[in-house]
Amino acid sequence: MILSTTPALDPGAPSPGTGSDFAELSRLVKHAGLMDRRRRYYAWKIGLNLIAFAGGWVAFAFLGNSWWQLFLAAFFAMMFTQLSFIGHDAGHKQIFRGRRANDATGMVHGSLVGLSYGWWIGTHNRHHANPNHEDEDPDVNIAALAFTRAQGSERRGFLRWVAKYQAVLFFPLLLLEGLNLHVSSVVAVWRRDVKRHKLEAALLLGHLAAYLTAVFVVLSPGTGFVFIAVHQCLWGLYMGCSFAPNHKGMPTLSAGHRLDFLRKQVLTSRDIRGGPVVDFALGGLNYQIEHHLFPSMARPNLRHAQVIVREFCARHGIDYAQCGWLRSYGFVLRHLHSVGAPLRTPTHVRS
Protein backbone atom coordinates (compact mmCIF):
# COMPACT_ATOMS: atom_id res chain seq x y z
CA MET A 1 0.00 0.00 0.00
CA ILE A 2 1.26 3.51 -0.78
CA LEU A 3 0.60 6.05 1.92
CA SER A 4 -0.63 9.38 0.65
CA THR A 5 1.47 12.46 1.29
CA THR A 6 -0.73 14.02 3.95
CA PRO A 7 0.93 17.04 5.60
CA ALA A 8 0.77 15.84 9.18
CA LEU A 9 -0.56 13.13 11.44
CA ASP A 10 -3.13 14.13 14.03
CA PRO A 11 -1.12 14.76 17.22
CA GLY A 12 -4.09 13.96 19.39
CA ALA A 13 -4.99 10.67 17.76
CA PRO A 14 -4.19 7.73 20.03
CA SER A 15 -2.07 4.91 18.65
CA PRO A 16 -4.23 1.94 17.67
CA GLY A 17 -1.56 -0.45 18.90
CA THR A 18 0.79 -0.93 21.83
CA GLY A 19 4.49 -1.32 22.34
CA SER A 20 3.98 -5.09 22.34
CA ASP A 21 3.47 -4.97 18.56
CA PHE A 22 7.09 -4.02 18.01
CA ALA A 23 8.23 -6.62 20.54
CA GLU A 24 6.37 -9.26 18.54
CA LEU A 25 7.91 -8.04 15.27
CA SER A 26 11.37 -8.02 16.85
CA ARG A 27 11.00 -11.64 17.89
CA LEU A 28 10.08 -12.63 14.34
CA VAL A 29 13.07 -10.79 12.89
CA LYS A 30 15.54 -12.16 15.44
CA HIS A 31 14.18 -15.68 15.04
CA ALA A 32 14.93 -15.41 11.31
CA GLY A 33 18.56 -14.60 12.15
CA LEU A 34 18.36 -11.18 10.53
CA MET A 35 20.13 -9.37 13.38
CA ASP A 36 23.28 -11.41 12.83
CA ARG A 37 26.41 -9.61 11.63
CA ARG A 38 27.50 -10.02 7.98
CA ARG A 39 31.25 -9.48 8.31
CA ARG A 40 32.15 -11.34 5.13
CA TYR A 41 29.81 -9.15 3.10
CA TYR A 42 31.32 -5.98 4.54
CA ALA A 43 34.87 -7.26 4.07
CA TRP A 44 34.19 -7.71 0.36
CA LYS A 45 32.22 -4.47 0.09
CA ILE A 46 34.82 -2.33 1.82
CA GLY A 47 37.68 -4.05 0.02
CA LEU A 48 36.18 -3.54 -3.43
CA ASN A 49 35.29 0.07 -2.64
CA LEU A 50 38.85 0.86 -1.57
CA ILE A 51 40.34 -0.91 -4.58
CA ALA A 52 38.04 1.01 -6.95
CA PHE A 53 38.75 4.27 -5.14
CA ALA A 54 42.53 3.78 -5.31
CA GLY A 55 42.24 2.68 -8.94
CA GLY A 56 40.40 5.88 -9.74
CA TRP A 57 43.26 7.98 -8.41
CA VAL A 58 45.80 5.91 -10.36
CA ALA A 59 43.78 6.57 -13.52
CA PHE A 60 43.59 10.25 -12.53
CA ALA A 61 47.40 10.49 -12.39
CA PHE A 62 47.76 8.54 -15.64
CA LEU A 63 45.34 10.77 -17.61
CA GLY A 64 47.12 13.95 -16.62
CA ASN A 65 45.88 17.40 -17.54
CA SER A 66 42.95 16.43 -19.72
CA TRP A 67 39.27 17.27 -19.94
CA TRP A 68 38.66 13.50 -19.94
CA GLN A 69 39.17 13.87 -16.20
CA LEU A 70 35.56 15.05 -15.94
CA PHE A 71 34.46 11.43 -16.43
CA LEU A 72 36.61 10.56 -13.43
CA ALA A 73 34.97 13.43 -11.54
CA ALA A 74 31.65 11.63 -12.05
CA PHE A 75 33.25 8.34 -11.01
CA PHE A 76 34.57 9.90 -7.80
CA ALA A 77 31.12 11.34 -7.08
CA MET A 78 29.78 7.79 -7.15
CA MET A 79 32.67 6.49 -5.02
CA PHE A 80 32.32 9.25 -2.42
CA THR A 81 28.67 8.25 -2.01
CA GLN A 82 29.45 4.55 -1.77
CA LEU A 83 32.10 5.28 0.86
CA SER A 84 29.59 7.45 2.70
CA PHE A 85 27.15 4.52 2.76
CA ILE A 86 29.78 2.44 4.57
CA GLY A 87 30.28 5.25 7.07
CA HIS A 88 26.51 5.30 7.58
CA ASP A 89 26.44 1.56 8.26
CA ALA A 90 29.36 1.83 10.68
CA GLY A 91 27.58 4.60 12.56
CA HIS A 92 24.64 2.27 13.15
CA LYS A 93 26.90 -0.57 14.36
CA GLN A 94 25.88 -2.72 11.40
CA ILE A 95 29.39 -3.96 10.63
CA PHE A 96 30.93 -4.93 13.98
CA ARG A 97 29.35 -5.69 17.32
CA GLY A 98 31.50 -3.25 19.28
CA ARG A 99 31.38 0.53 19.06
CA ARG A 100 35.16 1.03 18.79
CA ALA A 101 35.63 -0.95 15.56
CA ASN A 102 32.58 0.65 13.98
CA ASP A 103 33.75 4.14 14.94
CA ALA A 104 37.22 3.48 13.53
CA THR A 105 35.66 2.34 10.25
CA GLY A 106 33.38 5.36 10.18
CA MET A 107 36.23 7.76 10.93
CA VAL A 108 38.34 6.37 8.10
CA HIS A 109 35.53 6.57 5.59
CA GLY A 110 34.57 10.05 6.78
CA SER A 111 38.14 11.21 6.23
CA LEU A 112 38.15 9.79 2.69
CA VAL A 113 35.20 11.96 1.68
CA GLY A 114 35.87 14.97 3.92
CA LEU A 115 33.04 14.58 6.43
CA SER A 116 32.99 14.77 10.21
CA TYR A 117 31.88 11.36 11.40
CA GLY A 118 31.03 12.68 14.87
CA TRP A 119 28.87 15.49 13.50
CA TRP A 120 27.00 13.10 11.23
CA ILE A 121 26.39 10.62 14.07
CA GLY A 122 24.82 13.27 16.29
CA THR A 123 22.59 14.68 13.56
CA HIS A 124 21.55 11.31 12.18
CA ASN A 125 20.71 9.84 15.59
CA ARG A 126 18.36 12.75 16.24
CA HIS A 127 16.67 12.04 12.92
CA HIS A 128 16.22 8.36 13.74
CA ALA A 129 14.75 9.13 17.16
CA ASN A 130 12.09 11.46 15.71
CA PRO A 131 11.74 11.03 11.93
CA ASN A 132 9.77 13.78 10.19
CA HIS A 133 9.09 15.53 13.50
CA GLU A 134 8.53 19.22 12.84
CA ASP A 135 10.54 20.32 15.89
CA GLU A 136 12.99 17.51 16.61
CA ASP A 137 14.14 16.07 13.28
CA PRO A 138 17.06 18.12 11.86
CA ASP A 139 16.33 16.73 8.39
CA VAL A 140 13.06 18.70 8.21
CA ASN A 141 14.62 21.90 9.53
CA ILE A 142 16.67 22.96 6.51
CA ALA A 143 16.92 26.65 5.65
CA ALA A 144 16.89 26.07 1.89
CA LEU A 145 13.60 24.11 1.86
CA ALA A 146 10.23 24.23 3.60
CA PHE A 147 8.61 20.87 4.36
CA THR A 148 5.47 22.20 6.05
CA ARG A 149 3.30 25.23 5.28
CA ALA A 150 4.14 26.63 8.70
CA GLN A 151 7.81 26.59 7.77
CA GLY A 152 7.01 28.23 4.44
CA SER A 153 5.08 31.07 6.11
CA GLU A 154 8.11 31.82 8.30
CA ARG A 155 10.51 32.25 5.37
CA ARG A 156 11.57 35.79 4.52
CA GLY A 157 13.49 37.44 1.71
CA PHE A 158 15.39 35.21 -0.67
CA LEU A 159 14.51 32.04 1.25
CA ARG A 160 10.82 32.85 0.86
CA TRP A 161 11.31 33.13 -2.91
CA VAL A 162 13.11 29.76 -2.87
CA ALA A 163 10.25 28.20 -0.90
CA LYS A 164 7.77 29.44 -3.52
CA TYR A 165 9.47 27.54 -6.30
CA GLN A 166 11.25 24.84 -4.31
CA ALA A 167 9.80 21.99 -6.37
CA VAL A 168 11.47 23.43 -9.48
CA LEU A 169 14.66 24.29 -7.59
CA PHE A 170 14.90 21.00 -5.69
CA PHE A 171 17.37 19.14 -7.91
CA PRO A 172 19.51 22.23 -8.63
CA LEU A 173 19.75 22.81 -4.87
CA LEU A 174 20.97 19.24 -4.39
CA LEU A 175 24.04 20.17 -6.43
CA LEU A 176 25.11 22.22 -3.39
CA GLU A 177 24.56 19.41 -0.89
CA GLY A 178 28.19 18.28 -1.06
CA LEU A 179 29.38 21.77 -0.15
CA ASN A 180 26.81 21.90 2.64
CA LEU A 181 28.09 18.63 4.10
CA HIS A 182 31.69 19.86 4.05
CA VAL A 183 30.82 23.21 5.61
CA SER A 184 28.61 21.65 8.31
CA SER A 185 31.43 19.26 9.21
CA VAL A 186 33.98 22.06 9.52
CA VAL A 187 31.62 24.22 11.59
CA ALA A 188 30.84 21.35 13.98
CA VAL A 189 34.52 20.58 14.51
CA TRP A 190 35.43 24.26 14.83
CA ARG A 191 32.77 24.71 17.53
CA ARG A 192 33.92 21.51 19.25
CA ASP A 193 30.48 19.97 18.93
CA VAL A 194 32.08 16.55 18.42
CA LYS A 195 33.92 14.48 21.02
CA ARG A 196 37.15 13.87 19.11
CA HIS A 197 37.39 17.38 17.69
CA LYS A 198 41.20 17.38 17.47
CA LEU A 199 41.31 14.07 15.61
CA GLU A 200 38.45 15.09 13.34
CA ALA A 201 40.10 18.44 12.61
CA ALA A 202 43.30 16.64 11.60
CA LEU A 203 41.35 14.24 9.37
CA LEU A 204 39.44 17.06 7.64
CA LEU A 205 42.62 19.07 7.07
CA GLY A 206 44.39 15.95 5.81
CA HIS A 207 41.59 15.24 3.36
CA LEU A 208 41.56 18.83 2.08
CA ALA A 209 45.33 18.95 1.68
CA ALA A 210 45.53 15.60 -0.11
CA TYR A 211 42.56 16.35 -2.37
CA LEU A 212 43.71 19.80 -3.46
CA THR A 213 47.32 18.65 -3.88
CA ALA A 214 46.29 15.75 -6.12
CA VAL A 215 43.99 17.94 -8.23
CA PHE A 216 46.33 20.89 -8.78
CA VAL A 217 49.54 18.90 -9.17
CA VAL A 218 47.99 16.93 -12.02
CA LEU A 219 45.61 19.50 -13.52
CA SER A 220 45.96 23.10 -14.59
CA PRO A 221 44.12 25.65 -12.41
CA GLY A 222 41.24 26.03 -14.89
CA THR A 223 40.74 22.30 -15.41
CA GLY A 224 41.22 21.69 -11.69
CA PHE A 225 38.46 24.07 -10.63
CA VAL A 226 36.05 22.58 -13.18
CA PHE A 227 36.96 19.07 -11.99
CA ILE A 228 36.25 20.03 -8.37
CA ALA A 229 32.94 21.70 -9.29
CA VAL A 230 31.72 18.71 -11.30
CA HIS A 231 32.86 16.20 -8.68
CA GLN A 232 31.39 18.00 -5.68
CA CYS A 233 28.12 18.92 -7.40
CA LEU A 234 27.49 15.39 -8.67
CA TRP A 235 28.38 13.96 -5.27
CA GLY A 236 25.86 16.29 -3.61
CA LEU A 237 23.23 15.38 -6.20
CA TYR A 238 23.80 11.65 -5.69
CA MET A 239 23.71 11.98 -1.89
CA GLY A 240 20.54 14.05 -1.99
CA CYS A 241 18.85 11.69 -4.44
CA SER A 242 19.71 8.78 -2.12
CA PHE A 243 18.21 10.31 1.01
CA ALA A 244 15.30 12.41 -0.30
CA PRO A 245 12.94 9.53 -1.27
CA ASN A 246 13.04 8.04 2.23
CA HIS A 247 10.89 10.55 4.16
CA LYS A 248 10.20 13.65 2.10
CA GLY A 249 6.53 13.88 1.21
CA MET A 250 5.58 11.48 3.98
CA PRO A 251 3.41 12.57 6.94
CA THR A 252 5.06 14.83 9.50
CA LEU A 253 4.69 14.63 13.27
CA SER A 254 4.16 17.43 15.74
CA ALA A 255 4.48 17.78 19.49
CA GLY A 256 2.02 15.67 21.46
CA HIS A 257 1.57 12.83 18.98
CA ARG A 258 0.74 9.45 20.55
CA LEU A 259 2.17 7.06 18.00
CA ASP A 260 4.16 4.16 19.37
CA PHE A 261 7.67 3.41 18.11
CA LEU A 262 6.54 0.97 15.43
CA ARG A 263 3.96 3.25 13.85
CA LYS A 264 6.10 6.36 14.22
CA GLN A 265 8.87 4.77 12.18
CA VAL A 266 6.68 3.04 9.58
CA LEU A 267 4.21 5.85 8.86
CA THR A 268 6.92 8.47 8.29
CA SER A 269 9.15 6.32 6.04
CA ARG A 270 8.97 5.05 2.47
CA ASP A 271 10.56 2.00 0.83
CA ILE A 272 11.75 2.03 -2.79
CA ARG A 273 11.10 -0.95 -5.04
CA GLY A 274 13.89 -2.45 -7.10
CA GLY A 275 16.41 -5.25 -7.34
CA PRO A 276 20.18 -5.44 -6.88
CA VAL A 277 20.83 -2.31 -8.95
CA VAL A 278 18.65 -0.15 -6.69
CA ASP A 279 20.13 -1.84 -3.61
CA PHE A 280 23.60 -0.87 -4.81
CA ALA A 281 22.68 2.63 -5.97
CA LEU A 282 20.91 3.56 -2.72
CA GLY A 283 23.19 1.66 -0.36
CA GLY A 284 20.31 -0.22 1.25
CA LEU A 285 18.49 3.01 2.11
CA ASN A 286 15.71 1.86 -0.20
CA TYR A 287 14.64 -0.35 2.72
CA GLN A 288 14.07 2.72 4.85
CA ILE A 289 11.21 1.31 6.93
CA GLU A 290 13.19 -1.76 7.95
CA HIS A 291 16.29 0.34 8.57
CA HIS A 292 14.40 2.69 10.90
CA LEU A 293 12.87 -0.19 12.81
CA PHE A 294 16.18 -2.05 13.12
CA PRO A 295 19.03 0.47 12.62
CA SER A 296 21.79 -1.99 13.55
CA MET A 297 20.62 -4.61 11.03
CA ALA A 298 23.31 -5.37 8.45
CA ARG A 299 22.54 -3.93 5.03
CA PRO A 300 22.19 -7.26 3.13
CA ASN A 301 19.62 -8.48 5.68
CA LEU A 302 17.22 -5.61 5.09
CA ARG A 303 15.66 -7.06 1.95
CA HIS A 304 14.84 -10.26 3.83
CA ALA A 305 13.40 -8.31 6.76
CA GLN A 306 11.17 -6.39 4.35
CA VAL A 307 9.06 -9.50 3.70
CA ILE A 308 8.45 -9.99 7.43
CA VAL A 309 7.78 -6.32 8.18
CA ARG A 310 5.43 -5.80 5.24
CA GLU A 311 3.35 -8.85 6.12
CA PHE A 312 3.29 -7.84 9.79
CA CYS A 313 2.05 -4.36 8.93
CA ALA A 314 -0.65 -5.80 6.68
CA ARG A 315 -1.92 -8.03 9.52
CA HIS A 316 -2.02 -5.09 11.95
CA GLY A 317 -3.59 -2.58 9.57
CA ILE A 318 -0.53 -0.32 9.40
CA ASP A 319 -0.03 1.57 6.13
CA TYR A 320 3.23 0.48 4.52
CA ALA A 321 4.52 2.94 1.90
CA GLN A 322 6.42 1.51 -1.05
CA CYS A 323 6.83 2.71 -4.62
CA GLY A 324 9.26 2.86 -7.52
CA TRP A 325 12.37 5.03 -7.40
CA LEU A 326 11.21 7.59 -9.98
CA ARG A 327 7.72 7.72 -8.53
CA SER A 328 9.18 8.56 -5.12
CA TYR A 329 10.62 11.76 -6.56
CA GLY A 330 7.18 12.56 -7.90
CA PHE A 331 5.81 12.38 -4.35
CA VAL A 332 8.65 14.56 -3.08
CA LEU A 333 8.20 17.23 -5.75
CA ARG A 334 4.41 17.21 -5.40
CA HIS A 335 4.73 17.75 -1.65
CA LEU A 336 7.25 20.59 -2.05
CA HIS A 337 5.00 22.21 -4.68
CA SER A 338 2.01 21.96 -2.34
CA VAL A 339 3.91 23.50 0.58
CA GLY A 340 4.96 26.44 -1.58
CA ALA A 341 1.46 27.00 -3.01
CA PRO A 342 0.30 29.61 -0.41
CA LEU A 343 3.44 31.64 -1.08
CA ARG A 344 2.65 31.73 -4.81
CA THR A 345 -0.89 33.01 -4.21
CA PRO A 346 -1.07 36.76 -4.93
CA THR A 347 -2.05 38.87 -1.96
CA HIS A 348 -4.61 41.59 -2.63
CA VAL A 349 -4.44 44.79 -0.65
CA ARG A 350 -7.85 46.24 0.04
CA SER A 351 -8.18 50.01 -0.43
Side-chain angles (χ1 to χ4, degrees):
M1 180 181 296
I2 298 175
L3 189 66
S4 62
T5 55
T6 52
L9 294 172
D10 181 4
S15 168
T18 65
S20 62
D21 288 342
F22 180 68
E24 179 187 350
L25 176 60
S26 295
R27 285 193 294 270
L28 293 173
V29 168
K30 290 177 181 177
H31 181 73
L34 298 178
M35 296 307 297
D36 295 344
R37 295 293 183 269
R38 297 289 296 274
R39 294 188 181 89
R40 183 176 298 179
Y41 165 86
Y42 279 110
W44 277 102
K45 186 70 175 176
I46 293 172
L48 291 175
N49 277 349
L50 295 179
I51 290 171
F53 189 60
W57 286 112
V58 171
F60 179 84
F62 177 78
L63 273 178
N65 187 31
S66 167
W67 289 109
W68 290 106
Q69 294 281 17
L70 297 186
F71 288 100
L72 278 179
F75 169 78
F76 282 124
M78 181 193 73
M79 288 310 307
F80 265 44
T81 306
Q82 290 297 320
L83 293 171
S84 299
F85 289 155
I86 294 294
H88 168 271
D89 292 0
H92 284 296
K93 295 177 64 176
Q94 294 180 17
I95 304 174
F96 303 102
R97 191 170 299 278
R99 170 61 66 186
R100 183 174 298 180
N102 281 295
D103 283 350
T105 303
M107 284 279 190
V108 169
H109 283 76
S111 68
L112 291 175
V113 300
L115 293 183
S116 165
Y117 176 72
W119 162 76
W120 176 82
I121 285 289
T123 302
H124 198 62
N125 283 347
R126 286 162 55 203
H127 159 70
H128 265 263
N130 293 284
N132 266 21
H133 194 288
E134 296 175 358
D135 303 315
E136 300 178 24
D137 183 357
D139 287 359
V140 294
N141 285 282
I142 302 172
L145 294 171
F147 297 109
T148 67
R149 294 197 172 187
Q151 287 181 343
S153 66
E154 295 170 357
R155 297 291 193 265
R156 296 292 181 269
F158 176 71
L159 292 179
R160 187 177 181 87
W161 180 85
V162 171
K164 283 184 183 180
Y165 307 107
Q166 59 184 358
V168 176
L169 298 172
F170 178 67
F171 288 109
L173 285 172
L174 290 185
L175 295 172
L176 301 176
E177 178 60 15
L179 177 62
N180 174 59
L181 292 171
H182 289 310
V183 171
S184 297
S185 295
V186 171
V187 169
V189 172
W190 179 263
R191 293 177 177 174
R192 300 188 177 186
D193 293 337
V194 298
K195 287 184 178 180
R196 304 179 182 91
H197 62 274
K198 291 183 179 179
L199 173 59
E200 295 234 40
L203 292 175
L204 289 177
L205 286 172
H207 169 86
L208 181 63
Y211 181 77
L212 294 180
T213 298
V215 170
F216 290 110
V217 164
V218 174
L219 305 179
S220 65
T223 308
F225 282 117
V226 173
F227 175 90
I228 292 172
V230 172
H231 171 214
Q232 296 295 329
C233 287
L234 290 182
W235 175 50
L237 180 65
Y238 187 0
M239 288 284 282
C241 287
S242 299
F243 286 91
N246 304 333
H247 300 281
K248 303 301 180 280
M250 296 301 293
T252 56
L253 301 175
S254 56
H257 77 82
R258 301 180 187 178
L259 294 178
D260 60 13
F261 175 80
L262 172 64
R263 287 163 178 81
K264 178 174 68 173
Q265 300 296 342
V266 174
L267 295 177
T268 60
S269 304
R270 176 193 294 117
D271 273 18
I272 307 301
R273 291 195 184 94
V277 173
V278 174
D279 290 358
F280 170 81
L282 297 182
L285 298 178
N286 45 313
Y287 303 107
Q288 191 67 194
I289 293 173
E290 291 70 30
H291 171 59
H292 262 257
L293 291 172
F294 306 98
S296 62
M297 180 180 290
R299 190 193 307 182
N301 290 344
L302 291 170
R303 65 187 182 92
H304 302 292
Q306 184 188 54
V307 177
I308 297 174
V309 173
R310 189 168 51 199
E311 291 178 353
F312 185 89
C313 288
R315 290 200 307 271
H316 288 75
I318 304 172
D319 285 331
Y320 184 101
Q322 186 181 24
C323 65
W325 194 0
L326 292 179
R327 191 175 185 187
S328 71
Y329 295 127
F331 285 133
V332 173
L333 295 177
R334 191 178 305 140
H335 177 71
L336 293 176
H337 184 74
S338 174
V339 169
L343 304 180
R344 296 189 300 273
T345 302
T347 56
H348 300 282
V349 179
R350 298 177 64 181
S351 58

